[in-house]
Amino acid sequence: MEGSLCHEFWTDLPAINVWEVYGSLTLAQLVPQLLPQVLSKVELVEGDGGVGTILLVTFPPSGTSGLASYKEKFTMVDNEKYIKEAEVIEGGFLDLGFQKYLVRFEIVGQKDGLTIIRSTIKYKVHAEHASNASLVSTGALAAIADAMTKYIKEQKSPKQASEQTSEEEAPKQKSGEQASEL
């Protein structure tokens, strides 16, 4: 049995800013920090964030259906189209009778300045374990999209604030200097 689930999250962030997180290892570093109830730990086993990178992903003790961990491998990282795919290669859903479990992230910029974070799960499960397909959910991916959007906005805010402060102080300093010269 094969299937797929898709979740779309809309944000007003530029696609390039979202891809900076999703297209790199930053996503793997941030999820355990921001969403420890989703993933307790993500460790780099091999690679640099490009195709072939392998991560060991560990669930919290009260994790998904008693699953402890799994290894995933990046099978696609397209920095032009903003697409990343990671396939489970050991443990996790494979231990529950799945033949394939792949997560695909697409960061899609819109003409109106909005961006879609499209998260898709594609899976294939042995017929005798078909009932386990009900365990597949985009809930964690939706929570990740929301948390990453908030994180990116928070990171941009202090930077924008300091840039505005610097711009505002520069004219004051010049006018102050001019006043002392008079």
Side-chain angles (χ1 to χ4, degrees), residues 28-46:
Q29 296 163 348
L30 289 175
V31 173
Q33 291 175 25
L34 302 176
L35 297 166
Q37 72 280 13
V38 174
L39 298 175
S40 64
K41 187 170 27 170
V42 179
E43 300 170 78
L44 178 64
V45 175
E46 179 181 313

Side-chain angles (χ1 to χ4, degrees), residues 70-106:
Y70 66 89
K71 284 185 181 176
E72 70 179 17
K73 182 177 188 176
F74 295 175
T75 56
M76 177 195 291
V77 180
D78 187 327
N79 290 314
E80 292 178 16
K81 294 181 180 175
Y82 298 163
I83 299 172
K84 180 189 222 175
E85 290 184 355
E87 186 169 351
V88 175
I89 58 170
E90 181 182 307
F93 282 94
L94 299 182
D95 291 343
L96 299 176
F98 285 74
Q99 295 169 282
K100 178 180 182 175
Y101 190 91
L102 179 136
V103 176
R104 175 184 176 104
F105 295 113
E106 294 175 79

Side-chain angles (χ1 to χ4, degrees), residues 128-145:
E128 62 269 19
H129 299 285
S131 63
N132 286 344
S134 65
L135 300 173
V136 179
S137 168
T138 58
L141 299 175
I144 290 168

